[in-house]
Amino acid sequence: MDHPLTDRASALALFAALQERAARQGVSLRTPPPEPTSCCGRGCNGCVWEGYYEAVVYWRDEALLMLDD
């Protein structure tokens, strides 16, 4: 899972999979980052979605640390 996440569907699938795993292990994860609401849709350099995907990777890494036995 070292590849960067670059689409919404992958991020949502990741959240679901790790939250399910956490529930099975009785681990409480923090809330995933919220999706941006201010994207203009013009493909700007430094788009708010780029920051979101960076936050998703940070959340994933933190969750995996908590889930590692």
Side-chain angles (χ1 to χ4, degrees), residues 9-69:
S10 295
L12 295 177
L14 174 73
F15 295 150
L18 290 178
Q19 288 171 321
E20 181 181 319
R21 183 173 159 191
R24 284 194 311 266
Q25 293 182 17
V27 174
S28 179
L29 300 177
R30 69 181 173 88
T31 304
E35 292 182 21
T37 59
S38 60
C39 179
C40 66
R42 290 183 277 175
C44 302
N45 185 23
C47 177
V48 295
W49 283 98
E50 291 174 20
Y52 171 72
Y53 295 127
E54 289 175 16
V56 169
V57 170
Y58 183 86
W59 183 92
R60 177 203 65 193
D61 292 347
E62 182 181 69
L64 289 173
L65 284 173
M66 294 179 71
L67 295 170
D68 281 344
D69 300 44

